[in-house]
Amino acid sequence: QVTLKESGPVLVKPTETLTLTCTVSGFSLSSARVGVSWIRQPPGKALEWLAHIFSNDDKSYSTSLKSRLTISKDTSKSQVLLTMTNMDPVDTATYYCAHISCSSATCTYYYMDVWGRGTTVTVSS
Amino acid sequence: SYELTQPPSVSVSPGNTASITCSGDKLGDKYACWYQQRPGQSPVLVIYQDDKRPSGIPERFSGSNSGNTATLTISGTQATDEADYHCQAWDSRTAVFGGGTKLTVL
């Protein structure tokens, strides 16, 4: 059974750097055609995709947030990390990580099929 | 940047069919998926690759995608289907979400 669990600070101050951890189980981050996405959702607002990383270390970032984001993985710990620099109150949100599955051997199409419960981050001084 | 547009809300009577649309430029040339999010819970994938249902998703959930519009259809809507529904597509390897639609069953 694939599960993901997000963890990180509940409260960060403006200008600080946020580091979030997604701990996965039920699959290996080194398995072919597997990936993990980070998505956030401000209170009462829409989902916003942030970044993803695949088992081959292929990464992609949100165009609008690319300069502030870094995604990485530690396969031995079954963890995917996301750092976001220069935090602002508008970054207050629930942050989710999600498992990515490929629909074909060539992974030309993929989808986020299992999500974690999310972790809530508030940015305030 | 690519955008997806959903109606903020849709209402349906129990047992009837609900249709939720998602519009984007040439969306039919991409694959769309749909997520259900009940209050206080994380999103659950209900449709991927336009019209495929993950295991465990009831057959009353179906999807289509053509032209500029993807549609999520819920047949025989039940009270438990009341939730927010989010469409999503990929554009140049970045994921784009719609604004979400609140489905009310009344």
Side-chain angles (χ1 to χ4, degrees), chain A residues 48-68:
Chain A
E48 179 182 20
W49 177 81
L50 300 176
H52 68 226
I53 186 167
F54 281 92
S55 53
N56 61 359
D57 217 37
D58 182 27
K59 304 168 188 175
S60 187
Y61 295 97
S62 161
T63 303
S64 60
L65 293 168
K66 185 173 184 176
S67 64
R68 299 174 54 203

Side-chain angles (χ1 to χ4, degrees), chain B residues 16-100:
Chain B
N16 284 1
T17 297
S19 295
I20 300 173
T21 58
C22 175
S23 299
D25 185 47
K26 298 180 181 178
L27 179 56
D29 292 344
K30 309 177 189 295
Y31 284 125
C33 63
W34 292 88
Y35 299 91
Q36 176 194 67
Q37 186 177 30
R38 295 189 174 106
Q41 297 187 18
S42 52
V44 173
L45 179 69
V46 294
I47 294 289
Y48 68 98
Q49 206 167 344
D50 291 343
D51 57 7
K52 294 179 172 50
R53 275 180 294 104
S55 61
I57 300 302
E59 291 185 8
R60 64 178 182 276
F61 288 87
S62 63
S64 63
N65 185 16
S66 179
N68 294 321
T69 305
T71 303
L72 173 69
T73 302
I74 309 173
S75 304
T77 306
Q78 300 180 2
T80 55
D81 298 329
E82 186 162 287
D84 292 332
Y85 290 85
H86 309 270
C87 63
Q88 180 256 314
W90 294 94
D91 179 63
S92 300
R93 298 183 70 245
T94 62
V96 179
F97 286 94

Side-chain angles (χ1 to χ4, degrees), chain A residues 7-119:
Chain A
S7 59
V10 175
L11 180 66
V12 298
K13 291 181 168 55
T15 75
E16 287 186 341
T17 293
L18 171 69
T19 298
L20 295 172
T21 301
C22 176
T23 303
V24 308
S25 63
F27 69 100
S28 171
L29 291 172
S30 62
S31 297
R33 300 183 303 281
V34 159
V36 171
S37 272
W38 281 98
I39 307 99
R40 71 179 179 180
Q41 185 174 35
K45 295 190 177 181
L47 297 168
E48 179 182 20
W49 177 81
L50 300 176
H52 68 226
I53 186 167
F54 281 92
S55 53
N56 61 359
D57 217 37
D58 182 27
K59 304 168 188 175
S60 187
Y61 295 97
S62 161
T63 303
S64 60
L65 293 168
K66 185 173 184 176
S67 64
R68 299 174 54 203
L69 297 173
T70 302
I71 193 169
S72 61
K73 61 182 173 71
D74 185 330
T75 302
S76 65
K77 293 183 179 179
S78 294
Q79 292 179 337
V80 175
L81 280 67
L82 182 76
T83 62
M84 180 179 292
T85 61
N86 194 24
M87 293 292 285
D88 183 271
V90 299
D91 297 314
T92 293
T94 297
Y95 287 76
Y96 298 98
C97 59
H99 173 272
I100 298 174
S101 285
C102 292
S103 64
S104 67
T106 55
C107 208
T108 51
Y109 174 69
Y110 37 86
Y111 49 95
M112 297 173 278
D113 57 351
V114 182
W115 294 51
R117 290 189 171 189
T119 186

